[in-house]
Amino acid sequence: MDVRPRAACAALGLAVLAISAAGLAHNPKLYLLTLLNGVTLAALYFLVASGFTLVFGLMRNVNLAHGALFLLGAYVGYSVGEATGSWTLALFAGFLSSALAGVLMQVLLFRRMEGQEMRQTLVTIGLSIVMADVFMWIWGGDTYGFEAPDWLTGRVPLPLVTAYPTFRLFMLAAAIAIGVLLWLLLNRTRVGMMIRAGVDDRQMLSASGVDVNRLFVVTFAIGAGLAGLGGVIGGTALSIAPGEDVRYLLASLIVVIVGGIGSIAGAALGALLIGLAETFGLAYTPTYGVVFTFVLLVLALAFRPNGLMGVNR
Amino acid sequence: MSDARLALRPPGAIDPAAAGAPMTRRLPASAPAWALLFAVLVAYPLLVPSFWAYQIGAQVLILGTIALSLSFLAGYGGIVSLAQMTVAGLAGYLACIFGTTSVEQISLGWPWWVAVPLAVALATLAAVGIGALANRTEGIRTIMITLAIGVAFSYLAQQNYAVFNGYQGFSGITASTVGGIDLGAPVPFYYLCLAAAALLGAGVIHLSRTPFGIGLQGVRDNPRRMASLGFDVTAHRLVAHAVAGFIAAVGGVLFVFFNHQISPGSVATPALINILVIAVLGGLRHPLGAFVGAAVFVLLQNFAIDLVSRERFNLVIGGVFLLVVLASPDGVLGLWARLRGFFVDPAMQRTKR
C-alpha cells in the first residue's frame, strides 16, 4: 500500500471520528441506537453476502439469482412456519430449500457453463426473473413477517439506549457465529483445504483423487443455504415481500465489491461499512441516505479496485 | 470523432486491422436488403392503425435505441453495463427539469432546442463518469458496479424531492411542435424515432469500421496485447462509454416524450435488466440485434397477455430470455444466422464458435 491510500484512510477515519463525536455530543441515544441498528443490519447483510462471496469468490460461479434464493428460503420458511408453528423448523426449511435449489442450479446449469462468466450472469438473471414471478404467483404480493420464538421476542435492557430488541442482537450473534464457522471451515478443515485447492488448481486437485464436482456441490449448497437462512432471519427482523430479492442481491453485490470478492473477512468488513452507512444515512439525512452507500462504493473502487480485503487473482 | 481516434492511435502503431483484430461478422444482408428494410419501416406507420405506429412501432425503436447503446458497448467493447437505462433515465429526467412539464415548481420551461441538447450532453457526461468508475473493474465486476450505480440512482430519484420530485417524478411532457409539425402525434413521432434509430444504428456500424472501432474490438478481445501495442485501453473504453451514453441519452429523451412521464420506477432494477434482456435477446453481434430484441420484447409485452394473464408477463419474458440464452448465446440473430448457415451455407457452421 503506497502513501496515497494510507493518507486517504487516515483522513476518512478522522472525518468519521469527528462526525461520531459530534453525533454523540448532539444526541447520544440517537447515535447509539443508530449504531446498533447499523451493526445488526450489517449482520443480516453479512449472512446473505457470505454465501454469495463463497460461491462467487471461490468457485467463480456468478450467481445473480442469489437474491431469488434468499426469497425462496424466506417464503418456504414462512409456509413451513405457518404449518408447524415452529420458527426453528422454518429456519431449517429456509436453509434446506435454498440449499437444494442451489444444488440443482450447480448441477443443471453451472456445471454446463464452467468458466463462461457472462453466460452464467445472463442465465442467472433470467432465472431470477422467472423465480421472482413464480414466487409472486404462489405467495402473492403481500408482505409477510415471521413470529420469532418467545425467547427471542421482547427487548433486552441496555445502558444508555434503555432497551434493544432481542432478535436483532441474536442476529448479530448468529452472524458472528456463522462467520467464525465459515472461516474455520475454510482455513482449518480438510474440506476447506480441498475447496481452496480446487479454486487454485482444479485439475490438479482432481488428479489427486478428490471428487471436485461433489466438493463444489457441497460449497454451492452451503452458499445458497446461507441465503435461505438469511431469508428467514431477515424476514423475522424486518419483513419479506416481492422486490426484497433485488435489495439483498444488491446489498450482497456492494458488500463483496467493497470488501473484496471471495474473502469472508472482506464480506464482514464490507457488510459492516454498508450497514452503518445505510442506517446512519437514513437516520441523519433521510433524503440523501442512499448516497452514502454510493460514496463508499466509489471510494472503495477508486483506491482498492479489488475490494478492501481482495487480492488480485 | 476523427480527432479522438487520431489521439487514441499511437504514432507508428501497426495498422489495427493487420494486427489481428477480428472484424465484425456482418449480417448476410446486402444493400438491397437494407433498402427494402428501410422502405418497409418508412411505409409501416402509413399502413397500420396509429396504435401500431405509436405503441408498438415507436416503442420498439426507442427501446431498441437504448438497447443499442448496450449492444455497442458489449458487442464491440466487451463492456456489459447495466447502467445504460440509468443514463437514458437521467437524460429523460433532465429533459423534464429543463423543459416543460406539469410539475411547474421544478421544471424550468426552457425551449426544446435548449433543454434537449443540454439533457443529452449532461447525460453523456454522466455516462463518461460511470465509465470512469466501471473502467476500474472488468467483466462480471463491471456488471455488478453498474447495477449498483443504477440502483443507487433510482433510490436517489425516489428520495429526492428538490430536483427529481421523488416518488411521483414528472408528468405532462410532450414532444414539441417543430416547423408546424406536432412531433408528439403518433405518425410524426414514429418518424422522429425512426430517424434517430437509423442515424444512430448507421453511426454505430460506421464507427465499428473506423480505426477507433477496430481498436475497440481489439481491446475487447485482448486488452493486454492492445496495451503492449501502444493503444490506450482506458481511453478507448472511455470513448466507448461516451458514445454509448450519447445513444442512450437520445433514447432516454425520446422515451420520456413517448411515455409523457418519468418516475423512479422508470430507472429501477427491472427497467435496467429489461434493457439487458432486450439487447441479449436480439444478439450483441450486430446493431440490428437491439431492435430485433426490442420487437420481440414489445410484442410479447403487448400480446403475451392474450396467452397468459397480464400479471405473468415477467414469467413469459424471463422464460423466453432463459431459453434464448441457454440455446443461443448470440440471441435471435445468432439463431437466424445458424439456421441460415444450416440451410444455405454449410461452411458457416464450421466457423461458428
Side-chain angles (χ1 to χ4, degrees):
Chain A
M1 208 193 241
D2 59 85
V3 184
R4 208 167 54 125
R6 213 179 273 178
C9 283
L12 204 67
L14 277 179
V16 168
L17 271 183
I19 295 170
S20 301
L24 262 177
H26 166 67
N27 185 345
K29 193 177 167 185
L30 174 69
Y31 181 83
L32 287 174
L33 261 183
T34 317
L35 188 69
L36 271 176
N37 282 341
V39 171
T40 47
L41 182 68
L44 179 56
Y45 283 168
F46 172 76
L47 280 177
V48 184
S50 60
F52 185 77
T53 203
L54 197 66
V55 168
F56 180 38
L58 298 180
M59 291 156 59
R60 285 282 168 273
N61 280 342
V62 187
N63 182 15
L64 291 192
H66 197 69
L69 288 174
F70 169 91
L71 213 46
L72 174 73
Y75 278 134
V76 171
Y78 179 81
S79 293
V80 168
E82 276 289 281
T84 61
S86 157
W87 186 81
T88 320
L89 276 181
L91 197 65
F92 275 109
F95 182 88
L96 286 179
S97 56
S98 293
L100 188 68
V103 166
L104 285 178
M105 280 166 64
Q106 160 72 13
V107 172
L108 296 177
L109 294 177
F110 286 109
R111 199 170 286 176
R112 288 163 196 271
M113 37 189 93
E114 203 59 60
Q116 298 169 276
E117 287 192 340
M118 199 48 70
R119 261 190 105 188
Q120 294 177 0
T121 311
L122 296 176
V123 167
T124 48
I125 285 179
L127 200 63
S128 52
I129 298 174
V130 170
M131 280 170 81
D133 209 51
V134 170
F135 297 156
M136 185 92 117
W137 201 352
I138 300 175
W139 283 281
D142 301 333
T143 301
Y144 295 101
F146 288 87
E147 194 115 343
D150 286 339
W151 61 278
L152 285 176
T153 44
R155 290 161 164 272
V156 178
L158 282 179
L160 287 169
V161 295
T162 49
Y164 198 72
T166 318
F167 190 80
R168 290 195 77 122
L169 293 175
F170 163 77
M171 199 156 78
L172 181 60
I176 293 173
I178 283 174
V180 170
L181 280 178
L182 272 181
W183 189 86
L184 287 176
L185 173 78
L186 282 176
N187 292 297
R188 292 282 182 275
T189 65
R190 214 179 134 72
V191 176
M193 198 167 70
M194 288 195 286
I195 293 176
R196 283 181 293 132
V199 171
D200 287 340
D201 194 332
R202 200 183 161 138
Q203 282 177 336
M204 192 52 97
L205 181 70
S206 181
S208 348
V210 175
D211 187 346
V212 176
N213 278 337
R214 206 177 61 192
L215 185 70
F216 276 24
V217 163
V218 171
T219 321
F220 210 109
I222 297 173
L226 281 174
L229 190 80
V232 175
I233 292 182
T236 316
L238 305 163
S239 61
I240 46 170
E244 292 289 287
D245 50 346
V246 177
R247 187 184 148 194
Y248 284 94
L249 172 66
L250 191 81
S252 304
L253 287 180
I254 299 184
V255 163
V256 298
I257 291 174
V258 170
I261 291 164
S263 150
I264 298 295
L269 183 63
L272 197 60
L273 285 173
I274 299 299
L276 286 175
E278 193 178 321
T279 351
F280 273 98
L282 276 177
Y284 285 90
T285 56
T287 340
Y288 294 98
V290 68
V291 178
F292 284 90
T293 315
F294 184 64
V295 168
L296 209 60
L297 187 68
V298 172
L299 281 179
L301 270 176
F303 292 106
R304 303 272 301 169
N306 290 310
L308 296 176
M309 298 272 185
V311 281
N312 198 359
R313 269 202 296 228
Chain B
M1 205 69 251
S2 65
D3 288 335
R5 83 175 179 223
L6 284 177
L8 294 174
R9 179 113 171 258
I14 313 162
D15 181 37
M23 300 287 290
T24 4
R25 194 174 44 239
R26 288 166 202 166
L27 269 196
S30 47
W34 282 109
L36 182 69
L37 177 69
F38 196 69
V40 168
L41 286 176
V42 169
Y44 169 79
L46 307 172
L47 306 173
V48 294
S50 69
F51 170 82
W52 277 84
Y54 190 75
Q55 209 62 35
I56 307 288
Q59 199 181 352
V60 166
L61 290 168
I62 295 169
L63 285 175
T65 304
I66 301 174
L68 173 70
S69 78
L70 174 58
S71 78
F72 168 74
L73 258 190
Y76 297 118
I79 306 163
V80 179
S81 162
L82 282 176
Q84 290 315 109
M85 189 63 214
T86 304
V87 176
L90 179 64
Y93 262 114
L94 289 172
C96 289
I97 292 167
F98 297 138
T100 312
T101 68
S102 55
V103 188
E104 281 159 4
Q105 65 275 23
I106 297 175
S107 290
L108 298 169
W110 293 348
W112 68 268
W113 46 270
V114 179
V116 171
L118 198 58
V120 170
L122 286 178
T124 308
L125 209 62
V128 175
I130 294 173
L133 259 184
N135 265 348
R136 299 194 58 87
T137 59
E138 288 212 329
I140 171 66
R141 296 185 202 193
T142 310
I143 298 189
M144 294 182 181
I145 183 84
T146 49
L147 178 64
I149 291 171
V151 176
F153 176 70
S154 80
Y155 278 129
L156 176 70
Q158 189 172 325
Q159 288 173 358
N160 182 295
Y161 279 83
V163 180
F164 294 105
N165 202 27
Y167 197 73
Q168 274 115 27
F170 294 88
S171 58
I173 185 169
T174 45
S176 320
T177 303
V178 179
I181 304 167
D182 177 16
L183 287 178
V187 174
F189 187 71
Y190 171 87
Y191 282 125
L192 179 67
C193 297
L194 180 63
L199 283 176
L200 292 170
V204 164
I205 293 178
H206 172 73
L207 201 60
S208 70
R209 294 171 188 167
T210 60
F212 162 72
I214 293 168
L216 184 65
Q217 290 167 61
V219 167
R220 169 197 67 193
D221 293 335
N222 196 335
R224 189 175 286 183
R225 185 180 295 173
M226 289 304 278
S228 61
L229 283 173
F231 285 82
D232 190 339
V233 170
T234 315
H236 273 81
R237 288 188 175 148
L238 265 188
V239 174
H241 273 287
V243 172
F246 176 77
I247 299 172
V250 172
V253 171
L254 289 174
F255 203 40
V256 83
F257 286 153
F258 171 81
N259 283 321
H260 303 300
Q261 61 93 29
I262 190 162
S263 62
S266 319
V267 289
T269 322
L272 306 181
I273 302 279
N274 278 349
I275 295 301
L276 179 75
V277 168
I278 289 171
V280 172
L281 260 187
L284 298 172
R285 294 259 172 122
H286 192 278
L288 202 56
F291 297 96
V292 173
V296 173
F297 185 86
V298 171
L299 288 175
L300 276 179
Q301 195 173 36
N302 280 278
F303 299 105
I305 52 170
D306 293 341
L307 306 173
V308 292
S309 68
R310 180 178 285 275
E311 292 80 32
R312 294 286 80 81
F313 166 68
N314 273 337
L315 196 60
V316 174
I317 191 74
V320 169
F321 176 71
L322 203 53
L323 274 181
V324 168
V325 173
L326 284 174
S328 160
D330 307 338
V332 175
L333 280 189
L335 272 182
W336 168 248
R338 206 172 298 184
L339 279 178
R340 206 184 138 89
F342 188 74
F343 289 115
V344 181
D345 180 14
M348 260 196 72
Q349 281 183 310
R350 267 178 268 133
T351 56
K352 199 88 207 161
R353 284 201 246 185

